[in-house]
Amino acid sequence: MGTKSEVMQPDLFENHPDEAGVEDSSKSPQSHAASFTKVQLKLEKLKHAIRRHDELYYVRSRPEISDTEYDQLFRELQILESQYPDLRTPDSPTQRIGGAPLAQFSKITHEFPLLSLDSEMDEERVLAFDQRVRRELDVKHPSYSAEPKYDGLSVALTYDHGIFVRGATRGNGLIGEDVTHNLRTIRALPLQLSEGGTVPSHVVVRGEVFMKLPDFHALNRRLTEQGEEPFANPRNASSGTLRQLDPAITATRPLTITCYDFMSLGPGRPSTHFEAVTCLEAWGLPVPQFRRYCPSIQEALEFHREMFERRDVLPFEIDGIVIKIDRFDWQKALGEKSRSPRWAIAFKFPPRKELTKVQDIAMSVGRTGALTPIALLDPVEIGGVTLSRASLHNVEEVARKDVRVGDTVKVERAGDVIPDVVERVPVPGEERGAPFQPPTTCPVCQSHTIQEGPILYCTGQTVCSAQLKGSLEHFASKGALNIEGLGKKTVAQLVDKGFVKDLSDLYTLGVDDFLQLEGFADKSARQLFEEIQKSKDVPFASLLIGLGIRHVGTHIARVLAQNFGSLDNLKKATEEDLLQIRDIGPEIAASVTHFFQESRNLKVWQRMESLGVRVQQEANVSEPFAQLLKGKIFVLTGTLKGFSRQEAKRKIEELGGRVTSSVSKQTDYLIAGEDPGSKYDSATTLGVQILNENEFNFFIQSGSILPSSSPDKGSIK
Ligand code: IVH
């Protein structure tokens, strides 16, 4: 609905037929105050009417007036508020987009921790959940509430005296980000709760922010037209939009929300979940359209089947259903683990798979020169997202799966993960191309390729523009020199225009050079120039990461930085010297010494130094903390809500620990996020201690392990 300027028609005041215009105060000498009250009254009526129509349109999908009529009401309110600015209230429908862009989001400590859910993928496990519930509650017939599991972002909304005052992202469940400004732009979110039903004086509502599929497609079309990167899926689009610092931009990207729970102190809480959601609905909040009271687990399983069937025709993404014990006293009796309740589970849908044809197999070249085969597909829609590429990982895998041009293949998309070619599906009579031949030369620079294990590498190094682009992106990335504004697109232009031929060239660029790139204006060119200048003062470990030495990731970079202190010392180190250090094996030692034996690499560094790049003294990790995880080996699995993988890894390393990629007998701890993978099972089999995100978070903040965590397996010493 827009806000076109038209004259207001009084009959649009639903429920307020007595409405008359506002008196002109100049006519009546006696009472300015009286007319002021009339204005207030009229403002209230207008706001009430608009809120009601917002709810009908955005929440209930049952509009009662036309867009033009709505626009008339809105315009009338805007005019009146501009005449009487003192009477403009923050909960007015005109005040959804307000405030200047933020520099950053402030942190909010949640009043009630925002728990997550354990997930199950098959019926048997859900039945086992029901069995456990019966046993623990000692009841024969536990009843449930079932709802779709919306694939969006979890938020907590605070309403004081019915007015929306604050909204935060889930963050790590304990601390989230203040996204109040952005939430206010969501038209489905009432800024004021309707008085129907008793609204507690203070209430925190939990909900999920998401983007409907048609809105997602329209947004991506617009971004593409503007030459910007489209979002990979609606969830990323929602997250990027909700975590956008400028609410004016958020307002142009239509988000919506559904609410599924509330927490409030004091009386007034109903006795079941189903009733609680009905309460939310009565307050004017959007709630899951499909929700079901289930007298037994069987009805919940049936709901799962129905929603699975319906999933493809819904205008938004759901990735399963959530099954919750309906009675609050039973929820309380079952209690919570540190990360998730014992009274609810997510029953997920299997990943979406579709069949399509392989048009071609292309090779993509990464910064290390690794060539990744990519299947170019006949576009196929999976869960509302059109895919035209999927990874085949490495040349050995292409051979193993025997995928060829012209083949029909099964493609799978699980959540945010890059789609995979699962397998070839033989189709009788289908014409197949020749077996895939690993290329003998790099498709970008035509240098020879060599195979190491399952991976094919380009030997071109600096002459390969794809490797150079990858190296620059890596150099500028968050974990390395953290040069904000130097992303994929800019890097590509700098290389293609010949402005940058090796890493050191970055420090020769001036504002004028950036002005020659597409998408840059005075301000952005200056900003990027300054960011690059700022990066000249670099921590040693960050530089080592940025240089992209093979096998030197965050942990090894820190180890090297702590042991050698300067690049000069490290350059002089022999393989034997390096092998003295715990954590450094022959492969790394060889890779590091080879890197510094290569005169080309030394020249790049010398040039950087001559252009003013200086290595900072390594900040020492505080001793007690450094000792705490010293020598401990961690593995990460699943999605952590409050950390990116990189952040979690850095944290562990800051505390002296190490992160490896697979679980073995040597692993000390598995950090399990949401939807853990097979590593979880391996850890269970091998008896490795498993920490959930809350426990992990508590630990790194406090330095001690949560008392509730797996007491049988000992604690970190
Ligand atoms: S209930 C204490 N209900 O799923 C239980 N969560 O994987 C709190 N979600 O963090 C969650 N739809 O962001 C619940 N109908 C629904 C949901 C839902 C989506 C999300 C929520 C939660 C995540 C858990």
Side-chain angles (χ1 to χ4, degrees):
M1 279 191 272
T3 50
K4 286 167 237 116
S5 165
E6 308 232 359
V7 184
M8 173 188 159
Q9 288 162 15
D11 61 359
L12 296 175
F13 283 112
E14 211 63 37
N15 306 332
H16 299 283
D18 57 342
E19 175 57 29
V22 181
E23 231 171 69
D24 179 353
S25 60
S26 62
K27 277 190 208 151
S28 130
Q30 2 90 318
S31 170
H32 180 73
S35 96
F36 203 68
T37 323
K38 275 206 159 177
V39 175
Q40 277 175 317
L41 191 67
K42 176 154 185 180
L43 277 170
E44 281 317 309
K45 284 180 174 177
L46 272 168
K47 287 194 273 187
H48 178 89
I50 292 171
R51 271 184 212 121
R52 185 166 168 277
H53 292 301
D54 272 346
E55 187 184 336
L56 285 167
Y57 186 94
Y58 291 105
V59 180
R60 314 272 161 246
S61 305
R62 275 193 279 110
E64 289 180 2
I65 58 174
S66 70
D67 285 5
T68 319
E69 287 168 324
Y70 177 89
D71 291 347
Q72 288 169 7
L73 284 176
F74 202 90
R75 186 73 193 132
E76 175 81 358
L77 179 62
Q78 278 180 323
I79 291 171
L80 209 54
E81 283 181 342
S82 66
Q83 286 167 350
Y84 298 89
D86 290 351
L87 297 180
R88 190 179 279 140
T89 56
D91 63 315
S92 166
T94 61
Q95 301 304 297
R96 285 192 177 269
I97 310 155
L102 304 170
Q104 60 181 54
F105 294 112
S106 50
K107 299 269 186 257
I108 284 189
T109 303
H110 295 300
E111 208 175 323
F112 305 94
L114 265 64
L115 297 178
S116 188
L117 291 170
D118 290 342
S119 312
E120 298 299 354
M121 292 290 284
D122 53 65
E123 275 199 22
E124 272 160 44
R125 306 270 306 188
V126 176
L127 290 170
F129 162 77
D130 179 60
Q131 290 294 342
R132 177 173 66 72
V133 164
R134 288 159 190 256
R135 199 176 53 244
E136 287 182 19
L137 287 178
D138 198 18
V139 293
K140 282 214 174 64
H141 303 293
S143 50
Y144 297 95
S145 245
E147 291 152 8
K149 184 170 182 303
Y150 288 75
D151 195 9
L153 282 112
S154 195
V155 289
L157 317 163
T158 306
Y159 284 87
D160 279 342
H161 304 286
I163 307 287
F164 174 60
V165 290
R166 209 166 32 258
T169 59
R170 179 172 181 275
N172 61 15
L174 303 173
I175 299 169
E177 282 178 329
D178 183 344
V179 287
T180 312
H181 277 52
N182 287 342
L183 287 166
R184 290 177 69 90
T185 68
I186 301 179
R187 303 294 289 266
L189 182 91
L191 300 180
Q192 189 185 66
L193 299 178
S194 30
E195 300 85 32
T198 10
V199 181
S201 58
H202 175 77
V203 58
V204 180
V205 175
R206 265 201 81 170
E208 193 85 355
V209 170
F210 60 101
M211 195 176 282
K212 289 189 181 164
L213 287 165
D215 293 331
F216 163 71
H217 293 309
L219 171 62
N220 266 358
R221 266 197 306 277
R222 210 176 71 215
L223 290 174
T224 314
E225 274 161 26
Q226 291 166 352
E228 288 178 48
E229 268 303 296
F231 288 105
N233 54 49
R235 191 171 194 278
N236 285 5
S238 312
S239 152
T241 305
L242 193 65
R243 302 192 65 258
Q244 165 61 244
L245 289 164
D246 185 353
I249 297 182
T250 307
T252 65
R253 299 180 177 179
L255 291 174
T256 189
I257 186 168
T258 192
C259 300
Y260 50 73
D261 201 3
F262 73 88
M263 277 78 79
S264 70
L265 299 175
R269 190 164 164 85
S271 57
T272 68
H273 176 78
F274 200 82
E275 286 167 334
V277 178
T278 309
C279 250
L280 294 174
E281 194 174 22
W283 298 340
L285 285 157
V287 297
Q289 183 190 352
F290 304 97
R291 58 193 183 96
R292 184 168 300 169
Y293 168 76
C294 306
S296 79
I297 198 72
Q298 291 307 329
E299 284 79 6
L301 296 179
E302 176 55 27
F303 184 71
H304 183 267
R305 284 189 283 271
E306 284 175 29
M307 290 315 296
F308 184 60
E309 299 260 295
R310 199 166 243 157
R311 163 196 214 196
D312 288 329
V313 293
L314 287 178
F316 49 84
E317 291 240 71
I318 60 173
D319 55 356
I321 65 161
V322 183
I323 305 176
K324 305 170 185 180
I325 288 283
D326 197 38
R327 278 175 53 167
F328 286 141
D329 56 344
W330 285 352
Q331 286 191 1
K332 201 164 166 219
L334 285 164
E336 273 123 30
K337 294 184 273 180
S338 44
R339 182 188 78 110
S340 52
R342 292 182 205 278
W343 44 262
I345 46 161
F347 183 10
K348 296 279 240 359
F349 297 145
R352 294 173 185 270
K353 294 187 178 96
E354 290 293 342
L355 296 185
T356 185
K357 257 179 182 283
V358 177
Q359 289 175 351
D360 204 353
I361 297 175
M363 301 301 283
S364 130
V365 188
R367 78 176 161 88
T368 59
L371 271 79
T372 306
I374 308 283
L376 306 182
L377 309 167
D378 279 352
V380 59
E381 205 186 281
I382 308 191
V385 176
T386 307
L387 301 179
S388 49
R389 304 157 74 88
S391 177
L392 279 157
H393 300 286
N394 58 54
V395 288
E396 235 176 58
E397 189 160 318
V398 189
R400 189 171 54 77
K401 291 181 175 162
D402 188 22
V403 173
R404 305 182 193 181
V405 173
D407 281 353
T408 295
V409 287
K410 189 180 277 176
V411 184
E412 172 182 289
R413 182 173 80 93
D416 286 350
V417 186
I418 307 162
D420 263 344
V421 174
V422 185
E423 59 185 4
R424 173 174 94 81
V425 180
V427 176
E430 187 172 61
E431 205 168 302
R432 304 191 68 197
F436 172 75
Q437 289 297 330
T440 51
T441 57
C442 168
V444 177
C445 70
Q446 277 71 49
S447 301
H448 285 294
T449 57
I450 45 161
Q451 188 159 349
E452 282 180 28
I455 300 171
L456 201 64
Y457 287 96
C458 156
T459 53
Q461 302 204 350
T462 48
V463 299
C464 182
S465 66
Q467 285 192 52
L468 178 58
K469 285 176 190 170
S471 305
L472 276 166
E473 281 168 30
H474 175 75
F475 187 74
S477 67
K478 263 213 179 107
L481 275 82
N482 193 14
I483 307 176
E484 215 169 294
L486 189 56
K488 209 178 174 77
K489 261 190 182 169
T490 307
V491 162
Q493 292 191 68
L494 289 172
V495 173
D496 292 341
K497 284 192 187 301
F499 290 181
V500 174
K501 295 203 169 62
D502 67 47
L503 294 178
S504 66
D505 284 338
L506 268 186
Y507 295 100
T508 63
L509 299 173
V511 176
D512 288 349
D513 296 314
F514 299 124
L515 279 171
Q516 292 180 47
L517 308 182
E518 215 177 278
F520 277 85
D522 276 351
K523 192 173 163 206
S524 45
R526 218 165 337 106
Q527 265 171 356
L528 181 52
F529 174 74
E530 274 158 21
E531 275 291 321
I532 293 177
Q533 300 311 304
K534 216 168 74 189
S535 77
K536 283 181 172 174
D537 191 17
V538 57
F540 187 21
S542 308
L543 177 73
L544 286 174
I545 298 167
L547 291 175
I549 307 168
R550 194 161 325 156
H551 307 304
V552 178
T554 319
H555 172 65
I556 297 300
R558 293 196 76 92
V559 170
L560 292 173
Q562 273 164 1
N563 280 275
F564 293 93
S566 76
L567 204 66
D568 273 337
N569 289 342
L570 182 58
K571 270 190 312 203
K572 285 186 227 137
T574 62
E575 281 192 43
E576 289 74 49
D577 294 337
L578 287 159
L579 285 167
Q580 300 300 310
I581 302 167
R582 200 186 166 280
D583 288 353
I584 308 256
E587 227 182 1
I588 303 174
S591 162
V592 172
T593 45
H594 287 164
F595 184 88
F596 289 112
Q597 274 158 12
E598 183 67 64
S599 62
R600 201 174 38 202
N601 293 334
L602 290 176
K603 271 196 201 131
V604 169
W605 168 243
Q606 275 158 9
R607 186 139 177 273
M608 280 197 202
E609 259 191 319
S610 72
L611 291 164
V613 180
R614 291 283 171 270
V615 171
Q616 274 172 24
Q617 186 62 37
E618 253 305 292
N620 268 333
V621 209
S622 76
E623 231 5 68
F625 261 49
Q627 290 304 314
L628 198 61
L629 295 191
K630 203 157 186 197
K632 298 288 178 199
I633 301 176
F634 287 72
V635 173
L636 301 166
T637 182
T639 314
L640 297 174
K641 292 254 170 139
F643 305 86
S644 68
R645 277 276 168 108
Q646 214 178 16
E647 282 163 353
K649 191 164 179 259
R650 200 163 36 225
K651 274 284 172 213
I652 292 168
E653 286 166 354
E654 270 172 20
L655 301 175
R658 240 177 91 191
V659 178
T660 62
S661 57
S662 57
V663 176
S664 72
K665 279 196 207 130
Q666 269 70 47
T667 311
D668 293 292
Y669 302 99
L670 178 82
I671 310 298
E674 210 169 287
D675 298 334
S678 58
K679 289 177 197 167
Y680 192 96
D681 301 329
S682 316
T684 317
T685 318
L686 292 172
V688 171
Q689 181 163 2
I690 300 170
L691 299 181
N692 65 32
E693 182 168 356
N694 259 8
E695 290 164 337
F696 171 58
N697 192 43
F698 183 84
F699 174 66
I700 55 174
Q701 281 181 24
S702 65
S704 61
I705 204 145
L706 274 176
S708 66
S709 129
S710 326
D712 49 330
K713 295 210 196 100
S715 60
I716 297 176
K717 298 214 182 66

